[in-house]
Amino acid sequence: MAELIVWSPAKINLHLEVLGLRGDGFHELAMVMQTIALLDRLRLRPSADGRIQLSCDNPSLPTDGANLIVRAAELLKARAGLPELGAHLHLDKRIPVGAGLAGGSSNGAAALVGLNHLWGLGYSEAELALMAAELGSDMPFCIGGGTQLCFGRGERLEAQPAPRGGGWAVLLLKHPAASVSTPWAYRQSRQQRQASYLEGEAAFEQRRQVLRQGPLLRALQGLEALPPLRNDLQAVVEPAEATVRQGLALLRRADAALAVAMSGSGPSLFALFADLEAARRSQASLASDLAAAGFDSWTCPLRPQGVSLEA
Ligand code: C5P
């Protein structure tokens, strides 16, 4: 087979609520995740030597078993019981690394979907999502993507209709020097808020139901104005990271921004706009301040799907 191209998009969190602690030590979450059209490209070729070889245009990324692409490939081979399967994979990296945009998880999901196709394994999307959940909490979402409620560790998915009302878009900021450890952010949240964590499935389910019926999903359907966005990890990261405070203040100055928040455990930040033109105008009007503060910035529309094979 010739080369296969798989598109691997980033996500943002339109809602991230830490409900409580789980028996497995992870946090029980209630999230709304949204795929955005900021894409890495993964190119795959089969090989006959049983090896998984990864290369990347960004030399700072690991290309060994520390990369979720390699771990996904090895897991797929092991599950299929076919150690002779091999592939060359090349990643063109555009999603900022370590940003809370699930770039690594999306790449792992792209490897699962792409190699399943390349090797003719025939696993269903649901079977791939179960494998994805073994590798990372955000990975199952990245396969189907679009707009989804994500519960549990992030792997219990409820797909939502695509946002209505034209072309929602984001302006994204990431300071190249800023980085946040996800385990650190969850540990901090636990230290600060454990006393008020909910306990038990009934209490968790009540909050899930509030989110299902709440103003955010109605607003995404064009039925009412967007409420302020909630990210419980922002409350722990914002006081600790000066660039996060600075970036949020800059985004809040954007006239046409409908809402502003941190994504995931950060440090990337985003503002939502009614269309791409409005996002681009804000990027242009903030350009000198963003440059002075050292931020990288991107604009892109929301995207109605996750990983995709190039036709
Ligand atoms: O699953 P993933 O590798 O993305 O998680 C990274 C870390 O974030 C976990 O090791 C854990 O410390 C924390 N985490 C959590 N609860 C979640 C997801 C992640 O505590 N639901």
Side-chain angles (χ1 to χ4, degrees):
M1 190 195 255
E3 186 176 77
L4 180 69
I5 290 177
V6 189
W7 294 102
S8 173
K11 63 84 184 159
I12 53 173
N13 294 82
L14 298 177
H15 185 91
L16 192 166
E17 189 178 343
V18 178
L19 300 183
L21 267 182
R22 300 156 50 92
D24 61 7
F26 279 73
H27 287 81
E28 181 72 25
L29 304 175
M31 303 188 285
V32 179
M33 302 240 261
Q34 172 65 55
T35 307
I36 59 174
L38 176 64
L39 305 160
D40 290 341
R41 184 175 67 168
L42 187 63
R43 291 185 281 157
L44 302 89
R45 277 184 294 119
S47 68
D49 59 5
R51 291 170 60 199
I52 303 299
Q53 284 178 291
L54 174 64
S55 55
C56 181
D57 66 349
N58 178 341
S60 72
L61 284 184
T63 52
D64 58 8
N67 192 305
L68 278 170
I69 293 173
V70 175
R71 294 182 55 205
E74 297 293 358
L75 179 63
L76 200 56
K77 276 175 64 168
R79 257 335 115 76
L82 296 168
E84 68 274 21
L85 292 174
H88 293 274
L89 305 103
H90 181 81
L91 178 66
D92 291 310
K93 194 77 195 160
R94 297 293 169 268
I95 304 172
V97 176
L101 298 171
S105 296
S106 175
N107 295 163
L112 285 177
V113 170
L115 291 171
N116 183 46
H117 188 82
L118 192 79
W119 290 336
L121 298 176
Y123 287 113
S124 67
E125 192 172 308
E127 287 169 323
L128 294 177
L130 282 176
M131 289 183 224
E134 293 180 36
L135 298 171
S137 304
D138 287 344
M139 239 166 100
F141 166 79
C142 292
I143 295 178
T147 310
Q148 301 206 38
L149 286 163
C150 307
F151 299 129
R153 263 170 64 198
E155 84 293 358
R156 282 180 54 185
L157 304 175
E158 296 179 15
Q160 302 298 307
R164 289 164 59 126
W168 296 76
V170 289
L171 167 59
L172 267 181
L173 303 187
K174 158 92 176 40
H175 198 287
S179 82
V180 175
S181 147
T182 302
W184 173 87
Y186 280 104
R187 269 199 314 275
Q188 289 296 113
S189 158
R190 184 174 172 176
Q191 276 174 17
Q192 293 174 20
R193 293 197 33 236
Q194 189 165 6
S196 59
Y197 277 178
L198 300 175
E199 278 180 42
E201 176 55 24
F204 294 159
E205 183 55 26
Q206 200 176 20
R207 287 301 307 166
R208 292 183 199 122
Q209 198 55 17
V210 168
L211 186 58
R212 287 185 190 105
Q213 297 175 346
L216 174 58
L217 294 185
R218 287 201 301 277
L220 292 175
Q221 289 307 301
L223 300 174
E224 59 187 85
L226 207 63
L229 302 182
R230 173 172 177 178
N231 178 343
D232 287 348
L233 297 179
Q234 187 177 323
V236 302
V237 174
E238 201 176 333
E241 270 288 334
T243 63
V244 167
R245 294 195 295 280
Q246 196 177 12
L248 288 167
L250 282 171
L251 287 176
R252 287 188 185 115
R253 277 179 28 207
D255 288 340
L258 304 173
V260 167
M262 189 179 83
S263 182
S265 57
S268 69
L269 311 164
F270 66 90
L272 262 181
F273 295 86
D275 56 60
L276 188 57
E277 267 317 298
R280 286 186 177 147
R281 275 198 304 273
S282 284
Q283 185 183 34
S285 70
L286 292 173
S288 60
D289 289 332
L290 292 175
F295 281 98
D296 294 328
S297 69
W298 301 258
T299 55
C300 64
L302 306 187
R303 174 177 152 104
Q305 70 189 123
V307 163
S308 63
L309 302 179
E310 185 159 280

